Amino acid sequence: MFTDDKLAKLREKYSNAKGADIFDLHFREVAASQFSESGGRKWPFAGVPTFLDAPFFADAESDNFADLDVALVGVPMDLGVSNRAGARLGPRAVRNIERIGPYEHVLRMVPGAMARIADIGDVPFRSRYSLESCHEDIEAYFTKIVGAGVIPIAVGGDHSISYSIQKAVGKDRPVGMIHLDAHCDTCGAYDGSRFHHGGPFREAVMDGVLDPERTIQIGIRGASEYVWEFSYDSGMTVIHAEEVPKMGIDAVIAKAREVVGDGPVYLSFDVDCLDPSFAPGTGTPEVGGLTSREALAILRGLKGLDFVGADVVEVAPQYDATTNTAHIAAQVLFEELCLMVDAMKRRDAGA
């Protein structure tokens, strides 16, 4: 029962407290990184938009990444799409989303206070018209980032970009992968190209940069099942969307952790893993997908794995007047950032 005595105690504690006056020690640390000395907070709708409101690293093209732990990178390229174009506008749409972070309440993390993080802009492409040269540029740029000891998180762009990023992060040894998607993306070359967004992970396996037996694909569904035989033949683990509620989220997480084990892992998130009722702004939507809550729960359950890179791809904002797709992608980007920072801290502690 709420008594007058309880009310008096609350008034004594909070009547003269400002927004920055936080009494819980953990939350006080979070607040200290957000409030100014005068008690104000940055306006979310003001200033130049960046990924997750991270500082902008204006010298990115000089390849000076040495002062960073994690680099957020835009990859505005969608020349590899098989149907609806528009994911080239994904990075800009995700940058325009405000009020993501700074606190991850489930993982109890403030990644911005734990690591040196910056939005380093977009991959400097030589040509907007050449799919092949774009992939050369992606691989070269991410190779420089990885070579500087920085963890890359990419915002695409179509899913073909993951192939060239994995060539950078898997250059010295093949990586495992946790892949959330509606499609396995292990189809072969067609229409004269092997760089399309339906086949990046077959190419990565064939190039020796992705370990298929340490790869799990979650949320798979739709009419293209007949072109994904490479996933099964190579030893990848495939969990279809309809299996997720039957298994339960905890079992899906446990399976993912079992498959990838203790080795280095790449995390790839295609927004079409979500049902189009949640994320309609994508090039190849498939009904019957994951809910946003299910997807976030899976991501949060992956904390503690040895992540070395990540991406979120296939946001095509012009197909979503609500901006929900970009909003979900920004939240996924934040979850990925938390996972990358946690992995970095664990590696540092074990060094």
Side-chain angles (χ1 to χ4, degrees):
M1 181 177 180
F2 189 67
T3 64
D4 290 343
D5 183 55
K6 291 180 180 178
L7 176 59
K9 289 181 179 179
L10 286 176
R11 284 173 172 169
E12 180 181 0
K13 186 175 183 178
Y14 287 104
S15 288
N16 296 314
K18 300 181 178 64
D21 295 331
I22 307 294
F23 299 96
D24 180 277
L25 293 179
H26 175 66
F27 291 147
R28 187 185 300 171
E29 292 180 356
V30 180
S33 69
Q34 299 302 308
F35 285 92
S36 67
E37 292 184 4
S38 63
R41 298 171 67 189
K42 181 179 178 181
W43 298 357
F45 49 84
V48 178
T50 62
F51 291 131
L52 305 179
D53 201 30
F56 180 66
F57 198 147
D59 296 327
E61 290 194 31
S62 69
D63 305 329
N64 180 21
F65 308 115
D67 293 332
L68 294 180
D69 295 313
V70 181
L72 308 177
V73 191
V75 191
M77 194 282 294
D78 64 358
L79 297 177
V81 299
S82 57
N83 187 23
R84 301 193 300 182
R88 67 182 63 185
L89 303 178
R92 180 170 293 180
V94 174
R95 283 189 174 103
N96 280 328
I97 298 299
E98 72 281 349
R99 297 191 68 252
I100 301 293
Y103 184 61
E104 212 297 349
H105 75 283
V106 177
L107 302 179
R108 293 178 65 83
M109 292 181 64
V110 186
M114 300 169 64
R116 298 165 298 179
I117 301 159
D119 180 340
I120 65 170
D122 296 337
V123 172
F125 290 114
R126 291 168 292 167
S127 171
R128 76 186 73 180
Y129 303 112
S130 171
L131 176 59
E132 288 73 17
S133 75
C134 283
H135 275 277
E136 292 172 359
D137 294 339
I138 294 169
E139 180 183 353
Y141 196 59
F142 278 84
T143 296
K144 292 175 182 177
I145 295 170
V146 173
V150 179
I151 300 174
I153 307 180
V155 179
D158 73 59
H159 216 159
S160 71
I161 71 171
S162 299
Y163 166 51
S164 294
I165 297 172
Q166 288 185 349
K167 289 181 74 175
V169 299
K171 181 179 180 181
D172 297 328
R173 75 285 182 252
V175 297
M177 179 175 66
I178 296 175
H179 172 207
L180 285 85
D181 203 325
H183 315 99
C184 287
D185 292 350
T186 50
C187 181
Y190 59 80
D191 292 346
S193 177
R194 64 188 184 91
F195 291 113
H196 57 81
H197 70 168
F201 303 122
R202 179 192 291 213
E203 296 298 326
V205 170
M206 299 300 282
D207 278 1
V209 297
L210 176 64
D211 182 346
E213 295 183 354
R214 293 185 55 241
T215 293
I216 185 168
Q217 303 182 297
I218 302 169
I220 308 305
R221 63 194 186 278
S224 298
E225 179 76 16
Y226 68 98
V227 296
W228 308 138
E229 65 179 359
F230 183 87
S231 288
Y232 304 101
D233 207 22
S234 65
M236 295 182 182
T237 299
V238 178
I239 298 179
H240 292 86
E242 63 271 17
E243 297 177 90
V244 172
K246 292 179 181 178
M247 293 176 62
I249 296 299
D250 289 345
V252 172
I253 293 169
K255 187 63 177 179
R257 299 180 73 96
E258 174 192 338
V259 169
V260 300
D262 297 328
V265 187
Y266 186 84
L267 176 58
S268 187
F269 190 101
D270 186 327
V271 293
D272 69 28
C273 77
L274 302 168
D275 190 87
S277 60
F278 296 91
T282 191
T284 49
E286 301 277 3
V287 299
L290 304 181
T291 69
S292 55
R293 183 183 297 145
E294 288 172 331
L296 292 179
I298 291 170
L299 292 176
R300 290 162 176 163
L302 303 176
K303 183 180 179 182
L305 296 178
D306 187 21
F307 287 108
V308 294
D311 64 52
V312 55
V313 298
E314 297 285 355
V315 175
Q318 67 273 35
Y319 305 120
D320 182 1
T322 69
T323 74
N324 283 351
T325 307
H327 199 143
I328 291 173
Q331 186 65 48
V332 168
L333 179 64
F334 183 62
E335 305 298 332
E336 291 181 335
L337 176 61
C338 290
L339 296 175
M340 300 304 124
V341 170
D342 173 74
M344 178 201 73
K345 291 295 184 182
R346 289 173 185 272
R347 284 193 291 270
D348 291 345

